[in-house]
Amino acid sequence: MCSILGLSSDRDVAPIIVDSLKKMEYRGYDSVGVAVKNESEISVKKGVGKVKDVNNDIQMDKMQGHSGIGHTRWATHGGVTVENAHPHLCNSSSIGVVHNGIIENYAELRKDLEKNHNVVFKSSTDTEVIPNLLQVYFEKSHDVKRAVMDTVQRLKGHYAFVALFKNGEMVGVRNHEPLILGIGENDLLLTSDVIGLPENFNSVVYIDNNQFVIIDDHKHKIYDFQGHAAQFAIKKIPKNYQNVTKGEYEYFTAKEIFEQPDTILVAGDEDNDYLQKIVDFIRDSDYVYVTGSGTSYHISVIAKYLFSRFAGKKVEHVMASEMKYSSRYIIPNSTLFAISQSGESADVLEAVSICKKKNAKILSMVNSKNSALARDSVFSIGLNCGPEIGVAATKSFTSQMAILYKIADKLCDGCLAVDFKTVSDAYAKMLSDTSKIQELAKAIKDIQNLFVIGRGIHYPISKEGALKIKEITYVHAEGIAGGELKHGPLALMDSSTYVIVINPDDDSYVDNISSVHEIKSREAKVIGISNKPDPSYDYWIQIPTIREDLYPLIEIIPLQLIAYYLALERKIDPDYPKNLAKSVTVK
Ligand code: F6R
């Protein structure tokens, strides 16, 4: 979602803020802005577009001042306009605010501020109530701490914000959205993600929920919302999480797809103890719910197939955003296994909070071990695949799946015995020559609709493949269980339709070939992803022959590549697809 930043330093902060915003852009990229405090005022520059382009136009990085705030936006309230871009100032221009999250009661607060305090609003955002409430309370008490405490009493919703006061003080406030304080030699930086920290920072404080930080004269103090001084721990910045670059690749999405021969080998590796503890928890629970959103939800569905087939353990998958509608009855002594790359998805955190209230124990699988989800769990296993910046989840998906295989293997006392080196070699082989997929992408670049079918455990892979295609190519794509074709979707097939069939040589093969014939009879074209050729395929994307139960781990690679090369053919930046952002921290 949005990224927020606040920097207090002994040098000009604007160039550093602009650099950090470029690194945090994956959280939202429809508009950007910076405000700095100089001798006499808070000045603001903002614009619509990516950080680099807006900065080229209006030189935000040339602003002068030793404290400042910055923002990249993913619009929730109000269109994508310069007026709605952050930072927002209060009416007296003495306080500037950048905000991530949603103020649920903003309409009511706006009315009150207009009626009782003559505030004139300049944007249609929910954010603008925050600097104006701060102004009202600061004018009363002339005390920043008091003004923050009074303001947060009035705000409903999940939010984090950074406020810059004209008197030089800066405040960072956290209520359910991420906020981190980075500590450098002469710098203090508030940020939504450690990725935003410049290289000279080496320690961080993860601000807890319902806490705020006041930075004054290069010193920081942390309080809870009641104003009591809070305990906090200073931690080292996790390795790999700074100076994240694209390396030799043009896009993060490509880098992350091509990293998979390495990342698959280390999935969950740092946490072997946790893996065993998670296994024990699952074994001892009367019932296990698995949840996640988007790609991580597809992993929950895979967990169901994998655990029931190999570990004799029935689990129920629940889409995180659906938990509140399906949780009236949670079986006692249950475990919720929550899966999330970011560990910050609001829907997943909500599912956790619902299940906690029903006494379920929480396990999780995350990429960021300091995320809210990891901190909310009894045990949390790390993907260990390094930061994923491309909006489309790629390497995190295969790492999540690898960890599921490891858990299933322990649950069945070693019956799976996966040699991940074989999987890594299969990845390397598929990634070493992508020319056929590039040709296919050229041939289908103008299609409007695409179907992906798979059966059994390959069904969630078909959903995942379709999700990749729709999010980075804007082609309408649907993942369908092969057997369901005849129950409706066949009506959509004609000579302009393409269907990708996930068809490894396993127990789903014969049924899939029947589906292929049904599709071909309607003149639609078939793209077969298989280790075996078949004369009915219009295109054959070959995958290596591998042990039968490992196909789910490898067949996703060509689907990721089809999505990636199709995005390039369609002139879409795969790292920043329209209307999306990574880390969906709003409900
Ligand atoms: C798809 C994608 C999203 C995320 C979803 C959950 O490529 O990236 O669907 O999978 O927003 O995100 P996490 O796993 O961070 O909870």
Side-chain angles (χ1 to χ4, degrees):
M1 297 288 95
C2 304
S3 63
I4 56 174
L5 273 175
L7 176 60
S8 160
S9 178
D10 57 359
R11 55 203 160 127
D12 279 333
V13 291
I16 307 168
I17 291 178
V18 169
D19 265 359
S20 291
L21 288 176
K22 284 181 188 157
K23 293 192 269 178
M24 305 250 289
E25 212 166 19
Y26 69 92
R27 299 179 67 86
Y29 36 84
D30 58 42
S31 48
V32 53
V34 173
V36 293
K37 188 198 96 61
N38 50 37
E39 288 302 300
S40 54
E41 56 171 13
I42 294 177
S43 32
V44 179
K45 285 189 176 188
K46 51 190 184 179
V48 169
K50 304 268 303 287
V51 181
K52 186 164 164 257
D53 301 330
V54 173
N55 195 50
N56 280 345
D57 280 356
I58 59 172
Q59 279 90 46
M60 297 178 294
D61 59 345
K62 298 284 183 306
M63 299 163 85
Q64 288 179 347
H66 290 192
S67 49
I69 53 180
H71 190 264
T72 63
R73 180 167 187 246
W74 183 83
T76 57
H77 290 69
V80 180
T81 62
V82 177
E83 294 70 36
N84 289 338
H86 300 212
H88 292 284
L89 295 180
C90 65
N91 267 201
S92 66
S93 300
S94 59
I95 303 165
V97 163
V98 287
H99 157 230
N100 171 31
I102 288 178
I103 306 301
E104 285 167 5
N105 58 337
Y106 81 99
E108 171 198 314
L109 293 170
R110 234 175 128 110
K111 262 193 213 138
D112 172 54
L113 286 161
E114 280 167 340
K115 188 162 160 230
N116 300 319
H117 302 280
N118 301 320
V119 170
V120 178
F121 285 92
K122 301 180 181 84
S123 75
S124 39
T125 63
D126 53 342
T127 305
E128 211 183 338
V129 298
I130 305 173
N132 284 298
L133 280 174
L134 286 169
Q135 178 192 312
V136 166
Y137 290 118
F138 186 70
E139 279 171 2
K140 261 194 197 159
S141 62
H142 299 284
D143 177 29
V144 167
K145 181 178 164 198
R146 186 71 255 164
V148 172
M149 287 163 59
D150 290 341
T151 298
V152 297
Q153 291 310 315
R154 303 281 311 276
L155 302 176
K156 290 196 182 129
H158 288 188
Y159 56 82
F161 65 84
V162 182
L164 177 64
F165 286 71
K166 204 169 138 185
N167 70 2
E169 289 176 73
M170 191 188 299
V171 182
V173 180
R174 170 163 191 234
N175 181 40
H176 292 286
E177 297 289 344
L179 185 68
I180 293 158
L181 172 68
I183 303 172
E185 213 168 290
N186 297 308
D187 305 325
L188 290 168
L189 184 132
L190 290 157
T191 169
S192 310
D193 192 330
V194 280
I195 288 172
L197 293 171
E199 270 175 72
N200 63 329
F201 280 65
N202 42 33
S203 11
V204 282
V205 178
Y206 294 93
I207 305 302
D208 268 342
N209 224 7
N210 295 334
Q211 289 187 344
F212 61 100
V213 188
I214 299 185
I215 297 176
D216 188 17
D217 200 18
H218 302 303
K219 292 186 189 69
H220 65 274
K221 287 196 175 128
I222 305 180
Y223 302 97
D224 63 23
F225 279 8
Q226 285 68 48
H228 306 119
Q231 302 286 335
F232 59 87
I234 298 181
K235 297 194 171 170
K236 286 262 158 275
I237 298 173
K239 63 176 192 264
N240 299 338
Y241 272 79
Q242 265 180 302
N243 201 18
V244 179
T245 66
K246 294 179 201 158
E248 67 194 83
Y249 295 94
E250 201 182 344
Y251 296 102
F252 280 111
T253 308
K255 178 177 178 237
E256 289 155 9
I257 290 174
F258 282 83
E259 272 174 354
Q260 291 175 102
D262 297 325
T263 51
I264 196 75
L265 291 174
V266 294
D269 254 17
E270 279 177 351
D271 297 300
N272 250 323
D273 285 356
Y274 271 138
L275 193 65
Q276 188 54 52
K277 282 172 180 151
I278 284 179
V279 169
D280 294 343
F281 244 87
I282 292 177
R283 200 176 260 142
D284 295 344
S285 299
D286 288 342
Y287 207 72
V288 179
Y289 299 86
V290 192
T291 198
S293 298
T295 291
S296 298
Y297 169 66
H298 297 150
I299 287 292
S300 317
V301 183
I302 293 171
K304 183 191 147 188
Y305 284 99
L306 209 55
F307 290 2
S308 62
R309 176 155 178 191
F310 295 105
K313 186 91 197 174
K314 186 178 179 313
V315 302
E316 185 178 336
H317 52 82
V318 184
M319 218 174 260
S321 58
E322 287 290 306
M323 186 62 88
K324 68 176 161 207
Y325 308 107
S326 54
S327 62
R328 277 205 195 114
Y329 182 64
I330 295 273
I331 294 172
N333 187 28
S334 286
T335 290
L336 177 74
F337 190 11
I339 298 172
S340 169
Q341 187 280 132
S342 61
E344 300 289 351
S345 290
D347 289 329
V348 179
L349 296 177
E350 186 184 43
V352 164
S353 127
I354 291 168
C355 289
K356 262 188 160 175
K357 284 190 193 128
K358 308 232 165 179
N359 297 322
K361 297 190 188 69
I362 312 298
L363 303 177
S364 64
M365 196 198 287
V366 295
N367 203 15
S368 169
K369 289 298 301 275
N370 289 300
S371 57
L373 176 57
R375 285 183 279 160
D376 239 4
S377 314
V378 186
F379 295 111
S380 180
I381 183 157
L383 304 183
N384 204 23
C385 64
E388 188 176 70
I389 306 294
V391 163
T394 52
K395 62 177 179 174
S396 64
F397 179 72
T398 46
S399 295
Q400 288 169 336
M401 217 187 326
I403 292 174
L404 283 188
Y405 271 80
K406 289 182 179 183
I407 294 173
D409 184 53
K410 280 186 187 283
L411 281 169
C412 70
D413 299 322
C415 74
L416 267 161
V418 180
D419 168 15
F420 283 99
K421 177 74 174 60
T422 320
V423 180
S424 166
D425 290 347
Y427 285 2
K429 190 159 183 215
M430 288 184 284
L431 293 166
S432 67
D433 180 6
T434 58
S435 53
K436 252 195 122 174
I437 292 179
Q438 295 190 46
E439 272 165 39
L440 170 68
K442 259 196 186 62
I444 63 171
K445 77 176 179 19
D446 295 321
I447 52 169
Q448 307 281 323
N449 292 298
L450 190 58
F451 298 91
V452 189
I453 67 166
R455 288 169 190 256
I457 195 167
H458 312 290
Y459 164 57
I461 305 279
S462 77
K463 303 285 287 180
E464 173 61 9
L467 179 61
K468 290 300 83 118
I469 291 163
K470 72 182 105 176
E471 70 185 326
I472 66 173
T473 73
Y474 314 156
V475 170
H476 167 241
E478 256 187 77
I480 300 172
E484 288 301 295
L485 267 185
K486 55 189 180 295
H487 296 294
L490 271 184
L492 297 166
M493 308 277 150
D494 60 27
S495 57
S496 68
T497 318
Y498 282 78
V499 183
I500 299 177
V501 182
I502 303 177
N503 198 17
D505 189 12
D506 67 1
D507 59 357
S508 66
Y509 186 84
V510 175
D511 287 343
N512 278 333
I513 291 293
S514 302
S515 300
V516 167
H517 290 299
E518 287 165 13
I519 295 163
K520 295 286 293 184
S521 313
R522 275 79 189 172
E523 295 181 6
K525 310 273 186 316
V526 170
I527 302 161
I529 295 184
S530 181
N531 53 318
K532 258 170 86 170
D534 187 279
S536 350
Y537 297 152
D538 296 277
Y539 296 88
W540 175 40
I541 304 298
Q542 186 177 7
I543 53 173
T545 298
I546 198 168
R547 214 178 77 193
E548 201 178 300
D549 43 35
L550 301 183
Y551 281 115
L553 282 163
I554 70 166
E555 65 209 15
I556 186 60
I557 303 290
L559 289 162
Q560 292 174 350
L561 289 169
I562 292 170
Y564 174 69
Y565 287 114
L566 193 52
L568 298 192
E569 285 297 330
R570 292 166 70 86
K571 310 265 177 289
I572 294 166
D573 179 341
D575 288 351
Y576 299 107
K578 70 174 175 346
N579 303 339
L580 299 179
K582 209 152 178 89
S583 277
V584 185
T585 60
V586 294
K587 282 190 271 171

